[in-house]
Amino acid sequence: MAPRSANRWDGMLPPPRAAQEWEAIKPGLAAEIFEESIAEERHRRRMETLRVGTKILGQFLALGSVGLMVLFAKYALDAGEPIVAGFATGAPSVSLAVIFALSRTPGRRLEEGVARAGRRGLTAVTAGQGTPAPVIAQAPPPGADTAQMP
């Protein structure tokens, strides 16, 4: 039995020698691989551009929501409702601060924290009994047949 070896290279494209070997096995294979690597690079750049665009859009939406909060608070103050104005600016400001802080935490994403809470299944203690009662049903395990579940 002949020893097997793995060829590795750095970067997107293989070295010319590997491409020559592939051409000897199947004519046109190297060209297909080059075209595929170029398409992969285009896709990666497109996805990066979209990711940056969505971050910028999120920043503008956050700025718009803060502006709307301030306008509503001014309206509430002009109507003689300082408590409503306080809640209109206080609660959303706290939630925006938490979202901002979680998005800046190294190695942690806001979506992961939300998903983790859903997997655990949130519970509440029933009044006077001290036993947890499920508030949100847990999702079935991956691969479970949900058609047979009640």
Side-chain angles (χ1 to χ4, degrees):
M1 187 159 152
R4 301 174 103 184
S5 66
N7 292 331
R8 295 178 189 247
W9 58 85
D10 293 328
M12 291 182 355
L13 299 174
R17 184 173 180 189
Q20 289 171 349
E21 291 173 6
W22 294 337
E23 281 294 315
I25 295 171
K26 180 183 175 191
L29 182 60
E32 288 178 35
I33 292 173
F34 289 140
E35 289 171 11
E36 193 64 34
S37 66
I38 290 169
E40 166 65 26
E41 181 62 25
R42 278 192 202 123
H43 173 71
R44 192 173 334 148
R45 286 183 183 171
R46 220 175 301 134
M47 291 294 106
E48 182 64 22
T49 302
L50 286 173
R51 187 181 68 78
V52 170
T54 56
K55 281 190 166 206
I56 291 171
L57 177 64
Q59 295 294 321
F60 279 117
L61 290 175
L63 179 64
S65 68
V66 168
L68 288 174
M69 262 186 328
V70 170
L71 287 175
F72 181 73
K74 183 186 178 330
Y75 174 77
L77 282 174
D78 290 345
E81 297 290 340
I83 294 174
V84 172
F87 277 112
T89 56
S93 297
V94 169
S95 66
L96 284 175
V98 168
I99 290 171
F100 182 79
L102 287 178
S103 69
R104 299 296 187 259
T105 304
R108 180 151 186 216
R109 294 180 19 211
L110 181 63
E111 296 86 12
E112 291 171 356
V114 172
R116 213 171 318 154
R119 281 194 308 267
R120 278 195 308 260
L122 301 177
T123 60
V125 176
T126 56
Q129 296 176 349
T131 58
V135 174
I136 297 175
Q138 285 187 314
D145 186 12
T146 57
Q148 296 178 356
M149 292 186 160

